[in-house]
């Protein structure tokens, strides 16, 4: 299993919709194409939100995982 290099992180834990997506959109604007962003969230709705947002924006959702207490998303900027 190859480990992904994370270029930037966003801690969106304890934030409700739409703030995890808003914080992610703000962070990804400052990144270069091909860089990866890790987002940590606790809002259960973020799973569907990140899938839809990635599809709508064209950024690649590389990982979407949960540890039972929260969610981790890894996104590659287009």
């Amino acid at each position: 299993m190859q480990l992904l290099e994370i270029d930037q992180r966003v801690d969106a834990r304890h934030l409700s919709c739409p703030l995890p997506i808003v914080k992610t959109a703000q962070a990804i604007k400052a990144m270069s194409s091909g860089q990866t962003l890790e987002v940590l969230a606790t809002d259960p709705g973020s799973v569907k939100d990140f899938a839809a947002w990635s599809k709508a924006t064209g950024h690649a959702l590389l990982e979407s995982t949960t540890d039972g207490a929260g969610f981790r998303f890894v996104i590659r900027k287009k």
Side-chain angles (χ1 to χ4, degrees):
M1 180 173 164
Q2 182 181 356
L3 294 177
L4 292 172
E5 181 178 330
I6 303 298
D7 296 299
Q8 190 170 340
R9 289 178 171 81
V10 169
D11 186 351
R13 292 176 290 187
H14 310 294
L15 298 177
S16 297
C17 182
L19 289 177
I21 293 293
V22 170
K23 298 265 186 200
T24 299
Q26 290 171 340
I28 214 160
K29 282 182 185 177
M31 298 174 68
S32 298
S33 180
Q35 287 188 306
T36 56
L37 176 67
E38 176 187 63
V39 183
L40 303 176
T42 50
D43 181 1
S46 63
V47 175
K48 288 184 179 180
D49 291 345
F50 276 96
W53 180 82
S54 294
K55 186 175 182 178
T57 61
H59 302 300
L61 181 60
L62 303 177
E63 288 186 22
S64 176
T65 58
T66 183
D67 64 4
F71 305 93
R72 178 179 182 259
F73 306 97
V74 179
I75 300 160
R76 177 173 290 131
K77 183 173 179 172
K78 66 176 178 178

